[in-house]
Amino acid sequence: MIVCSGLTKRYPGGYEAIKNLGFEIAGGDMVFITGHSGAGKTTLLKLLGAIERPTSGSLIVNGQNLTALRKAALPYLRRNLGLIFQDQKLLFDRSALDNVLLPLEIIGLPPREAQRRARAALDKVGLLEREKANPIALSGGEQQRLAIARAVVNRPTILLADEPTTNLDPDSARQVFDLFAAFNQVRVTVIIATHAPHDISGRKPRLITLDHGRIAP
Amino acid sequence: MNTWLRQHLAAFRRALRRLWAAPLNTLLSLLVIGITMTLPAAGYVFLDNLKTLGKSAAGVQQISIFMQTGASADVVKGVEQHLEDKVPGQWHFVPRETALNRLKSTEGMAEIVASLPRNPLPDAFIVEPRDASPETLEALRESFASQPGVAHVQLDSAWIKRFDAFLRLGKLAVSLLAAIFAAGLTAVTFNTIRLQVLAQADEIQVARLIGATDAFIRRPFYYSGALQGALGGLAAGLIISLGIRALATPVAELASLYGSAFALQGLSPQFFALLAGIGAGLGWLGAQLSVSMALHQME
Ligand SMILES: Nc1ncnc2c1ncn2[C@@H]1O[C@H](COP(=O)(O)OP(=O)(O)O)[C@@H](O)[C@H]1O
Ligand SMILES: [Mg+2]
């Protein structure tokens, strides 16, 4: 499902944030990317999410080689990915429900069907009662769960989350991880970047540990 | 419903929602667009009314066709035939002898005419066409000037010619005005749409990250620009209609003083549709330029 080899990302200015990575992630896996701050976790997620383009090497996601992907094909690739950003990127000029509706408007779902699916996603993350609330009125944990609802409403095959629990209290963090575990149960590939391995609860998931852009031995 | 249509409908709804979300801005830009379109459109309506005034002008318009002095009877017959065939209205032939006799009977001319070695006057036709609009007269003048044996064609009504020239000048002025104001309107939508794009920067960025195509992002702005242009065009039509209504009575009174039944014409629904269409087209254009530039800057 995800295969990379010789993967390298050099930012404009010359800094190499990812150096010659090679790994495979099978469909339905749950993977944590860990490492010190500045190790390249966010950069790796951005490469996987086709937000940044590899400088060299090959990276294949869902059968598409991202190194050679045409710009016009990007939107369609991203629709099969659920992205949860470090800063969440919620829209504060609309309700929680309308935030979750955006990905469905993008794929052109009929309004009624879109409403139904958005509510189902809100229900799954426990926010159905707050559908009319503006995200600004939600707690940190609720905002994170709203971001998850928006990421999964399109039923993506891969979920990518960047430090999803960094600013949450332990209870909220537990709720968020339980959600990821639930999606992973239904064969969604879940890839989480986190600098704090104690986030990892219960199960024994796979770790990819980065050190200055390389996989730590 | 197919996906393409649904996506356009959705874009249209998003455009409406955005216009509605900032009612004061929307109203102001509609007003600006409306006023921008009012001036050239009013000029056009004014000229259109003048044209009907020219057509209904009192007094008969004459055309004099002067033959070459040596023109043979056959050639004269040819012109006569052309008149018969092509020109509804009245005409009569003035032979050169008749013309000379008339000249002789004019006071003080008899001796001068008598001193001439021969008759210097040509044969002539005096034509009073039924349709005396400036365009028709001009067309007739050209068609007779190219007839064999014709030396000169003269439109006897100088004022009609001046009027015609004035109309032409007016048309040119209105066209120039329209071009300038079209550029102005494009600039106005360019700016309002640019502000809209900047106001939506967050949504655009997020939408891109979660799989929106370029078209999805651009479409609502195009509709927004077109919608503003169309509504602005209708506003211009409304402003002009109100102006016409205010002027109608005084103009009719003035015309009746000159014995004319001339009345200002109101705007037709087609003209409203034309204004809305032009506004929509220019709004779409302004939005297109604006969105391309704003998105480029945001990248
Ligand atoms: N856009 C960028 N331009 C230049 N350097 C960057 C950029 N983004 C990240 N970096 C650098 O790349 C390295 C890895 O960053 P990042 O992937 O954010 O690490 P992490 O998420 O593990 O903390 C850091 O040294 C950071 O300064
Ligand atoms: Mg990071």
Side-chain angles (χ1 to χ4, degrees):
Chain A
M1 182 144 272
I2 295 174
V3 185
C4 71
S5 69
L7 183 63
T8 298
K9 173 65 189 180
R10 190 181 306 116
Y11 279 114
Y15 186 79
E16 257 186 25
I18 292 291
K19 296 173 187 130
N20 199 22
L21 287 195
F23 59 81
E24 284 184 24
I25 296 175
D29 270 5
M30 178 133 170
V31 178
F32 285 84
I33 299 170
T34 62
H36 61 91
S37 175
K41 305 179 293 292
T42 297
T43 303
L44 181 54
L45 277 193
K46 282 181 174 171
L47 289 170
L48 295 175
I51 294 168
E52 293 284 355
R53 208 172 256 274
T55 309
S56 61
S58 85
L59 171 59
I60 293 166
V61 175
N62 280 343
Q64 307 236 44
N65 188 350
L66 298 197
T67 321
L69 200 67
R70 283 175 23 255
K71 212 178 161 206
L74 269 183
Y76 304 97
L77 179 97
R78 289 202 183 132
R79 290 174 192 185
N80 287 316
L81 305 174
L83 300 176
I84 295 149
F85 307 96
Q86 188 159 14
D87 59 354
Q88 292 160 347
K89 298 196 191 299
L90 296 172
L91 296 173
F92 296 109
D93 62 350
R94 63 198 73 193
S95 68
L97 180 66
D98 285 339
N99 269 274
V100 181
L101 277 170
L102 185 61
L104 303 174
E105 283 173 19
I106 286 172
I107 61 171
L109 217 60
R112 191 170 304 177
E113 169 73 0
Q115 296 264 340
R116 198 186 61 69
R117 262 167 72 172
R119 289 218 168 82
L122 280 175
D123 193 25
K124 191 157 276 172
V125 301
L127 285 178
L128 192 52
E129 285 95 84
R130 311 297 312 268
E131 64 166 84
K132 292 204 177 65
N134 187 297
I136 208 127
L138 301 179
S139 72
E142 287 171 328
Q143 288 187 1
Q144 194 58 272
R145 283 184 278 138
L146 179 59
I148 294 171
R150 186 182 64 190
V152 300
V153 73
N154 253 342
R155 299 171 186 159
T157 51
I158 302 176
L159 262 183
L160 301 168
D162 196 1
E163 313 266 6
T165 57
T166 300
N167 298 312
L168 301 186
D169 60 84
D171 273 355
S172 303
R174 169 66 26 80
Q175 281 183 324
V176 164
F177 273 113
D178 287 349
L179 273 175
F180 285 128
F183 288 114
N184 184 236
Q185 296 269 289
V186 292
R187 302 272 310 153
V188 176
T189 308
V190 178
I191 302 173
I192 300 169
T194 173
H195 68 276
H198 68 257
D199 279 345
I200 301 155
S201 62
R203 318 162 24 107
K204 217 172 157 318
R206 179 175 159 198
L207 291 185
I208 293 178
T209 305
L210 294 179
D211 182 12
H212 294 99
R214 293 181 210 278
I215 294 187
Chain B
M1 202 180 354
N2 77 32
T3 313
W4 183 86
L5 189 64
R6 190 165 54 234
Q7 288 186 339
H8 275 267
L9 265 178
F12 187 74
R13 245 183 282 123
R14 284 147 66 85
L16 272 182
R17 208 160 40 188
R18 284 178 191 169
L19 290 180
W20 192 248
L24 188 65
N25 282 349
T26 304
L27 208 66
L28 284 178
S29 64
L30 287 192
L31 210 61
V32 171
I33 294 170
I35 291 170
T36 308
M37 287 184 78
T38 296
L39 203 56
Y44 177 82
V45 169
F46 176 69
L47 285 183
D48 208 43
N49 272 291
L50 275 188
K51 233 190 285 176
T52 57
L53 180 64
K55 283 208 179 91
S56 70
V60 177
Q61 314 307 328
Q62 282 189 347
I63 304 177
S64 306
I65 303 170
F66 298 103
M67 304 301 295
Q68 284 158 4
T69 36
S72 69
D74 276 355
V75 169
V76 173
K77 263 265 169 339
V79 173
E80 210 174 311
Q81 195 59 48
H82 192 74
L83 278 167
E84 196 88 62
D85 295 344
K86 299 278 160 63
V87 188
Q90 292 181 334
W91 55 270
H92 61 275
F93 179 59
V94 183
R96 51 202 300 252
E97 296 77 22
T98 314
L100 193 69
N101 286 338
R102 270 192 209 154
L103 200 59
K104 251 187 227 161
S105 63
T106 313
E107 200 165 348
M109 291 300 286
E111 276 169 38
I112 298 171
V113 170
S115 71
L116 293 172
R118 54 191 176 80
N119 183 355
L121 296 176
D123 290 331
F125 291 90
I126 307 296
V127 186
E128 290 175 7
R130 197 172 298 145
D131 175 5
S133 66
E135 293 93 343
T136 314
L137 292 181
E138 190 53 35
L140 285 177
R141 194 186 67 75
E142 273 166 28
S143 102
F144 281 109
S146 63
Q147 284 285 307
V150 171
H152 179 63
V153 182
Q154 186 180 324
L155 294 182
D156 287 343
S157 170
W159 86 265
I160 257 286
K161 282 207 294 197
R162 277 188 216 126
F163 187 71
D164 197 30
F166 173 78
L167 274 185
R168 257 183 245 197
L169 188 68
K171 245 187 242 168
L172 186 67
V174 166
S175 304
L176 286 176
L177 211 62
I180 292 168
F181 279 67
L185 198 152
T186 312
V188 168
T189 15
F190 181 92
N191 196 45
T192 51
I193 296 296
R194 197 177 64 88
L195 293 178
Q196 275 186 27
V197 173
L198 295 181
Q200 302 293 326
D202 285 347
E203 175 178 342
I204 291 170
Q205 194 207 6
V206 171
R208 270 209 181 125
L209 287 173
I210 62 181
T213 57
D214 227 30
F216 175 88
I217 288 166
R218 287 161 173 263
R219 243 181 246 137
F221 295 110
Y222 293 168
Y223 276 114
S224 180
L227 212 60
Q228 285 182 58
L231 291 176
L234 294 182
L238 211 66
I239 293 171
I240 296 171
S241 290
L242 291 177
I244 289 177
R245 183 173 288 189
L247 288 175
T249 315
V251 166
E253 277 169 8
L254 186 69
S256 74
L257 288 180
Y258 286 87
S260 161
F262 173 77
L264 279 177
Q265 300 293 307
L267 299 189
S268 64
Q270 287 92 318
F271 193 72
F272 267 94
L274 184 72
L275 285 177
I278 291 174
L282 292 173
W284 186 280
L285 179 70
Q288 190 129 29
L289 296 173
S290 178
V291 170
S292 296
M293 202 159 133
L295 289 185
H296 191 75
Q297 277 174 356
M298 272 169 58
E299 262 176 20

